Amino acid sequence: MSPFQLTRTLPEDATEAALRADVLDGLSGTPKELPPKWFYDARGSELFEEITRLPEYYPTRAEREILIDRAPRIAAETGARTLVELGSGSSEKTRFLIDALLPDLDTYVPVDVSASALTGAAESLLAERPGLRIHALIADFTRELVLPPSPGPRLVAFLGGTIGNLLPAERHAFLQRVRGVMAPGDTLLLGTDLVKDEATLVAAYDDAAGVTAEFNKNVLAVIARELGADVNPADFDHVARWDREHEWIEMRLRARHALTVKIPELDLAAQFAAGEELRTEVSAKFRQEGVRAELAEAGLELSQWWTDRKGRFALSLAEAR
């Protein structure tokens, strides 16, 4: 049997259909918004990798620090024979977990919408770890989650603080879906960025070099290329704002002047007033008690809470109840 298997649960045309629906709904409504997943074409992924190396952007370094320090403990606590990673991308940070779980680890199940990312990561991992089996899933875990048969116990990892991109109701539905594929003895490893001072948070999403601004505007390049939108990213300014009430960062694009974004393919002409904003991302920040409560609502019990040395980021280990 081949050590690598790739299964598609996401229809070939699902991404295009979802983009069309999100753009039509998001640019027709008030206020205007687009989901952050549309940042990540090839260029957007390159820009995000550049962001993770910026001095202002601490989450990636903080999470990596925790993984390096705690991976052996995570392996001992979970005894996982299957590692499932949601939104796996390049699987770069996951290597710390995989190496800690070996030799008991039987199967790695990376889940992502990008077939090329899954294949590239698998080739790299298998070249370095020939005894590993990988069953990759092309799937949108925010809509449906069906895992292949694999030996338990299973550790489901959702890293990077990506859960913060979901609004509270979406987080609840997501955690319930995750709990639905977990058996007794399975665990969830969850990465969450923590509430901290406003200056540090805003700087992480509005760096001095302007990389995050380019990343934010890349969503306009995506809809121009994929849907033929008549839109110029230079007509918008990047905005990052801390919402104290909801304890989340919002990224927005602000129209520099009155303009119309025309998308004939969708029979859409979206009017922007001067200064009107398009919300492109919410990035919620968390506190331990809030994470514990949200996990409990989904039938998961927080068993371990680890932070980096500066207390900026947390990894939570939760058990299926």
Side-chain angles (χ1 to χ4, degrees):
M1 179 184 294
S2 169
F4 177 59
Q5 184 176 350
L6 182 66
T7 299
R8 175 182 286 277
T9 64
L10 189 68
E12 291 276 1
D13 61 350
T15 300
E16 180 183 351
L19 175 62
R20 293 169 64 92
D22 284 344
V23 171
L24 183 60
D25 181 58
L27 295 190
S28 299
T30 303
K32 297 179 174 66
E33 61 182 337
L34 290 173
K37 64 183 177 182
W38 301 119
F39 290 135
Y40 296 96
D41 63 350
R43 178 57 180 155
S45 296
E46 289 174 359
L47 286 168
F48 185 72
E49 286 300 314
E50 190 175 342
I51 287 169
T52 64
R53 296 189 292 269
L54 293 170
E56 297 97 331
Y57 194 80
Y58 60 86
T60 302
R61 292 187 297 276
E63 186 177 49
R64 183 182 291 112
E65 177 190 309
I66 305 169
L67 284 169
I68 291 171
D69 288 348
R70 302 297 184 176
R73 176 76 180 275
I74 293 167
E77 291 273 341
T78 64
R81 297 191 63 213
T82 296
L83 172 61
V84 179
E85 184 179 12
L86 306 178
S88 55
S90 66
S91 301
E92 181 185 353
K93 287 179 294 189
T94 323
R95 287 162 165 78
F96 301 116
L97 281 176
I98 291 172
D99 289 341
L101 290 165
L102 288 172
D104 296 328
L105 183 66
D106 180 90
T107 307
Y108 172 49
V109 183
V111 183
D112 205 281
V113 296
S114 170
S116 60
L118 290 167
T119 302
E123 289 174 351
S124 174
L125 284 168
L126 290 172
E128 301 163 357
R129 300 159 183 83
L132 186 64
R133 291 198 302 173
I134 298 178
H135 189 157
L137 296 182
I138 305 170
D140 183 353
F141 60 81
T142 65
R143 298 174 183 269
E144 185 180 14
L145 188 56
V146 179
L147 299 179
S150 61
R154 293 187 292 191
L155 170 61
V156 181
F158 191 37
L159 305 175
T162 308
I163 194 167
N165 294 148
L166 304 177
L167 295 172
E170 295 170 334
R171 292 201 300 268
H172 179 71
F174 166 75
L175 289 171
Q176 290 217 316
R177 279 194 298 274
V178 172
R179 175 62 185 88
V181 301
M182 294 172 66
D186 290 349
T187 46
L188 169 66
L189 185 67
L190 181 65
T192 50
D193 195 8
L194 302 180
V195 174
K196 57 187 65 66
D197 67 282
E198 181 175 347
T200 298
L201 286 166
V202 172
Y205 293 83
D206 193 12
D207 61 277
V211 182
T212 311
E214 186 179 352
F215 173 71
N216 194 9
K217 293 182 182 185
N218 189 63
V219 72
L220 302 176
V222 169
I223 65 173
R225 183 185 64 248
E226 299 297 330
L227 300 177
D230 178 18
V231 60
N232 185 352
D235 289 333
F236 291 83
D237 288 321
H238 165 68
V239 177
R241 177 183 302 134
W242 172 239
D243 185 321
R244 290 185 182 85
E245 178 184 356
H246 296 101
E247 295 193 324
W248 64 43
I249 285 282
E250 289 194 3
M251 287 211 313
R252 295 170 174 260
L253 291 170
R254 178 185 294 149
R256 291 180 172 176
H257 52 81
L259 56 91
T260 303
V261 175
K262 297 178 182 177
I263 311 179
E265 201 172 307
L266 301 180
D267 193 25
L268 176 65
Q271 306 285 339
F272 282 82
E276 185 176 355
E277 294 179 348
L278 164 67
R279 188 170 76 179
T280 54
E281 182 178 76
V282 162
S283 185
K285 308 306 171 185
F286 296 88
R287 302 176 188 269
Q288 183 176 358
E289 59 270 25
V291 173
R292 185 187 301 275
E294 291 195 32
L295 290 169
E297 287 177 5
L300 295 161
E301 184 174 359
L302 180 66
S303 60
Q304 297 290 344
W305 173 270
W306 298 295
T307 70
D308 64 295
R309 295 177 186 87
K310 294 182 179 179
R312 299 167 298 177
F313 196 94
L315 284 182
S316 308
L317 192 65
E319 301 172 354
R321 293 193 304 192

